[in-house]
Amino acid sequence: MKNIIYFFLAIILCFNNSISAQALYENLPKPTPTQLSWQDMELTMFIHFGPATWQDQEYDDLSTPLSKINPSKLNTDQWANVAKSYGAKMIIFSAKHTGGFAWWQTETTNYGIKETPWKNGKGDLLKDLATSCKKNGLKLGIYLSPEDRYLGAGMGGKIADPIKQEQYEKIYRKQLTELLTQYGDISEVWVDGSLVFNIGDLLKKYAPNAVILQSSSATIRWVGNELGFAPYPAWNSVKYADAKSGNSTASHSSVNGDVWLPIESDVSIRRPNWFWKTWNEDNLLTIDELMKIYYSSVGRGTVLLLNACPDTTGLIAKAEAKRFAEFGNEINRRFSKPLNETRGTGDSLILKMKNQEKVDHIILMEDISQGERIRNFIIEGRHATEKDTLFKGSAIGHKLIIQIPSDKQYDAFCLKVNKSIGEPLIRKMSVYNVGSPYIDIPKIKDNWNLRHVSSYDIMNDKSHILSLDVDITEFCNSAEEYELAYVLNKGENSEPGFAYDWANTGKWEDNIKQEDRLVIKTVNLIFAGVESNHYLHNNNGLSDRVVFNVTGIPNSLIIKTNILIPAGISGSKLDIYLLKK
């Protein structure tokens, strides 16, 4: 009798596992055609140019008389040629940086190119650049800063005065509309620092084929640093709430995410400076440094956005232009001609060599059009009758560059997929003998300090007590102080009251009105199965917060709360965020 019971239990277990795997497969996030095309670019070019260029500093302090801004040699064809020399497929230009200076003809501000002597105030740099990009087969993207010091808008386009806030929102929307409608197709929009108001309708109407960085309309995300380095693995998906925050980074990647949100790795060729300065040519990254960035960005499946810094004449300096070309040449030297390549489907893929050959690099690419399916794999190399395990990994994604020891000659390579969601689809497996020294790729620390950990739909329209158990075990992996926020989300059209700590400062922006703040009636902290309320701290008078610290790394950590849900908010959502202090 027991054997029969065990038999049926085994069948039920297998059936449940099968349903779970099928659900994961059916819900696997997939890129849109626009995202897919963007990821295939791999290399793009940023251009920072503005009054800060004349001020020898990073941010425009509005001190330069506009009569002094006259880039007499400005040549956007030169910019396009520099971009092409390194392999870029798009130029993203800072049409308006944080100071508010506008490089196109606009009546929305008196701080722009029309107030300068360049081309007698009739010049339009965006028009020139759009023409050069089209002529050279490059796509065009724009950076339109929400912050505008000239007009008094702070980060996110926020102004304390409600009347001025409303005025600025109209101005910003008009500026965005001008940029999206007057210069041909725009393929990427940077909303740096995100926005406290919505522009989704304009993006949908005028830039349906553009990727968007930051804001609630984001379709790509920032890597989270300005070094050009991405972590490994850099999964392409994130949780829904992280995507909607508009400020998620590579640290929010989730192997079981809900939304496809690929990563852009940005860095300046004069790192850490984004603008040209009279003294920063010595900052130009070397070819070795640029290749380390390439392996750590494109080589980990992200798009590399490399910044150029035109000088006050309007040209990219000769030494800088030369370095871009050298970088492109080195990429081509290493990876333009594989020794051999193949593609295929299934859990095993073999690449046979014609003869035994030295190989020091392997490049893997998934067919991500059907989602990021591979979760765990190994690569083996065969030489004579022996096999070596050359690499063990998790993510492949758009592209993964793998360095292997070059002290042996191989006659075959085998990719073995140990875990996947659905059938693995390998777009390309290629091998190379680059003949260059091993590049020590940096390990990027997961320095997150804010996570969306859970959501609950409020279905009862009457006032009631909601009992919640929130499991935060996977997030609390270090002994330090944490804070949970229970935030009421009344829908897409509600005023934003809570913002991500996008700059990793250890703080979050809290604009929640007191009347909208939930009240937590009771809290219990369960550490490793034991009630441990001595870890709880004062919440500083914020009724919707739970503050605590842990002195060890728990095998389970659950926060139990009873929350007073007010009447009349059926259909709202309760979002729970965790801040690592």
Side-chain angles (χ1 to χ4, degrees):
M1 184 65 181
K2 286 184 179 179
N3 290 337
I4 294 174
I5 293 174
Y6 291 149
F7 174 74
F8 280 108
L9 284 175
I11 290 176
I12 292 169
L13 183 61
C14 290
F15 180 70
N16 286 340
N17 287 340
S18 176
I19 292 175
S20 177
Q22 182 65 21
L24 282 173
Y25 172 69
E26 291 175 353
N27 296 318
L28 193 66
K30 299 178 180 64
T32 65
T34 296
Q35 290 172 317
L36 198 61
S37 175
W38 177 80
Q39 288 186 264
D40 272 340
M41 289 187 197
E42 297 189 349
L43 300 171
T44 56
M45 190 167 89
F46 223 167
I47 295 181
H48 278 66
F49 187 49
T53 307
W54 279 260
Q55 294 162 13
D56 240 16
Q57 59 189 19
E58 283 294 277
Y59 293 97
D60 176 14
D61 60 8
L62 312 184
S63 65
T64 302
L66 295 186
S67 60
K68 298 290 186 182
I69 297 179
N70 188 15
S72 56
K73 296 181 181 179
L74 198 154
N75 184 347
T76 53
D77 281 347
Q78 187 233 15
W79 295 3
N81 288 330
V82 171
K84 286 172 62 179
S85 75
Y86 118 91
K89 309 300 188 299
M90 173 166 59
I91 292 177
I92 301 170
F93 178 63
S94 55
K96 184 187 81 170
H97 204 254
T98 56
F101 184 89
W103 277 109
W104 74 101
Q105 291 290 325
T106 179
E107 296 301 322
T108 60
T109 180
N110 293 320
Y111 189 57
I113 197 62
K114 74 179 191 300
E115 282 76 38
T116 74
W118 186 61
K119 295 187 177 182
N120 297 316
K122 304 297 183 183
D124 190 327
L125 199 159
L126 263 296
K127 182 178 179 181
D128 294 348
L129 182 57
T131 300
S132 294
C133 285
K134 186 174 182 179
K135 182 166 59 175
N136 287 277
L138 296 168
K139 295 183 182 297
L140 177 63
I142 57 166
Y143 173 117
L144 184 65
S145 172
E147 183 177 354
D148 189 318
R149 295 180 184 182
Y150 182 77
L151 294 176
M155 183 172 289
K158 185 178 179 182
I159 300 177
D161 185 326
I163 296 175
K164 290 182 179 179
Q165 177 71 48
E166 183 178 355
Q167 292 171 344
Y168 181 67
E169 289 181 16
K170 290 179 180 178
I171 290 172
Y172 188 90
R173 287 173 61 85
K174 190 171 191 309
Q175 290 179 339
L176 181 61
T177 299
E178 290 173 354
L179 291 172
L180 295 181
T181 59
Q182 296 178 10
Y183 304 103
D185 291 336
I186 300 299
S187 297
E188 182 165 340
V189 179
W190 260 62
V191 190
D192 196 11
S194 199
L195 268 174
V196 296
F197 52 91
N198 190 19
I199 55 171
D201 57 328
L202 300 180
L203 295 170
K204 186 176 180 179
K205 182 176 181 180
Y206 298 122
N209 297 318
V211 293
I212 315 300
L213 186 128
Q214 299 194 335
S215 85
S216 59
S217 300
T219 57
I220 61 174
R221 60 195 150 119
W222 180 43
V223 70
N225 63 67
E226 295 180 347
L227 303 173
F229 298 150
Y232 180 79
W235 301 106
N236 282 288
S237 61
V238 299
K239 296 295 186 181
Y240 177 80
D242 291 328
K244 281 303 177 185
S245 75
N247 286 310
S248 58
T249 67
S251 68
H252 294 92
S253 298
S254 173
V255 64
N256 294 318
D258 311 306
V259 178
W260 190 271
L261 207 68
I263 299 167
E264 184 169 60
S265 301
D266 62 325
V267 64
S268 180
I269 201 165
R270 295 181 183 233
R271 188 177 68 187
N273 304 136
W274 290 94
F275 288 87
W276 176 89
K277 296 174 176 58
T278 54
W279 48 265
N280 69 355
E281 189 165 293
D282 288 344
N283 287 10
L284 281 174
L285 295 169
T286 66
I287 294 302
D288 286 345
E289 289 172 326
L290 287 166
M291 289 310 301
K292 179 178 285 192
I293 288 169
Y294 181 80
Y295 280 49
S296 304
S297 55
V298 176
R300 287 175 169 173
T302 76
V303 170
L304 173 59
L305 177 58
L306 182 60
N307 182 65
C309 315
D311 61 25
T312 53
T313 72
L315 293 175
I316 297 171
K318 288 183 179 179
E320 184 174 323
K322 183 171 180 283
R323 189 59 46 83
F324 269 99
E326 290 169 344
F327 182 30
N329 290 337
E330 181 61 14
I331 294 170
N332 287 331
R333 183 193 74 78
R334 292 183 183 222
F335 301 120
S336 62
K337 294 181 180 179
L339 297 173
N340 203 359
E341 64 181 31
T342 189
R343 60 183 301 168
T345 61
D347 295 334
S348 180
L349 182 62
I350 295 176
L351 174 59
K352 293 183 179 179
M353 309 296 289
K354 294 179 181 178
N355 303 295
Q356 282 200 344
E357 294 190 63
K358 251 187 187 181
V359 171
D360 55 17
H361 283 70
I362 300 172
I363 293 183
L364 299 176
M365 298 179 72
E366 270 191 89
D367 177 2
I368 56 172
S369 66
Q370 301 304 309
E372 197 167 15
R373 298 185 172 195
I374 295 172
R375 298 290 187 264
N376 184 277
F377 70 94
I378 65 170
I379 295 179
E380 294 177 339
R382 187 179 71 194
H383 53 97
T385 58
E386 297 181 11
K387 287 183 181 178
D388 291 339
T389 298
L390 302 175
F391 187 81
K392 296 180 179 180
S394 50
I396 293 178
H398 170 73
K399 177 173 280 188
L400 180 63
I401 298 177
I402 300 167
Q403 300 177 87
I404 64 172
S406 59
D407 56 342
K408 295 176 183 176
Q409 291 189 328
Y410 295 95
D411 54 45
F413 298 88
C414 181
L415 168 66
K416 293 182 177 180
V417 178
N418 299 317
K419 184 179 180 182
S420 67
I421 306 300
E423 182 180 37
L425 306 174
I426 304 301
R427 176 178 174 182
K428 183 184 289 187
M429 177 181 178
S430 52
V431 294
Y432 305 80
N433 183 23
V434 168
S436 297
Y438 181 87
I439 293 179
D440 187 16
I441 303 176
K443 291 184 178 179
I444 305 301
K445 181 183 177 184
D446 182 5
N447 63 344
W448 73 270
N449 60 35
L450 187 63
R451 280 283 195 272
H452 178 271
V453 296
S454 196
S455 291
Y456 294 89
D457 293 319
I458 298 173
M459 307 302 292
N460 189 341
D461 211 35
K462 296 180 180 179
S463 176
H464 64 284
I465 296 293
L466 178 64
S467 298
L468 295 179
D469 291 359
V470 180
D471 188 341
I472 51 176
T473 309
E474 65 174 298
F475 305 106
C476 299
N477 53 11
S478 57
E480 50 195 295
E481 187 173 324
Y482 297 86
E483 182 176 336
L484 277 173
Y486 294 73
V487 180
L488 190 62
N489 183 351
K490 294 183 179 179
E492 291 186 3
N493 296 321
S494 62
E495 285 293 314
F498 187 79
Y500 263 75
D501 172 27
W502 67 274
N504 275 339
T505 61
K507 298 178 181 179
W508 44 33
E509 185 176 351
D510 184 347
N511 300 313
I512 302 173
K513 298 175 183 177
Q514 190 60 38
E515 61 266 27
D516 292 332
R517 202 175 289 281
L518 293 171
V519 177
I520 300 172
K521 305 296 286 185
T522 63
V523 182
N524 284 295
L525 186 150
I526 311 300
F527 186 102
V530 178
E531 184 178 293
S532 304
N533 288 341
H534 56 283
Y535 287 137
L536 295 172
H537 294 292
N538 189 300
N539 63 6
N540 298 313
L542 296 176
S543 62
D544 56 355
R545 302 296 168 84
V546 175
V547 182
F548 63 95
N549 76 293
V550 292
T551 57
I553 301 174
N555 57 19
S556 70
L557 182 59
I558 296 172
I559 305 295
K560 293 176 172 286
T561 54
N562 286 314
I563 304 170
L564 176 62
I565 303 297
I569 61 169
S570 177
S572 299
K573 186 182 291 288
L574 171 57
D575 287 312
I576 303 176
Y577 298 88
L578 177 69
L579 175 72
K580 183 164 62 174
K581 308 270 287 184

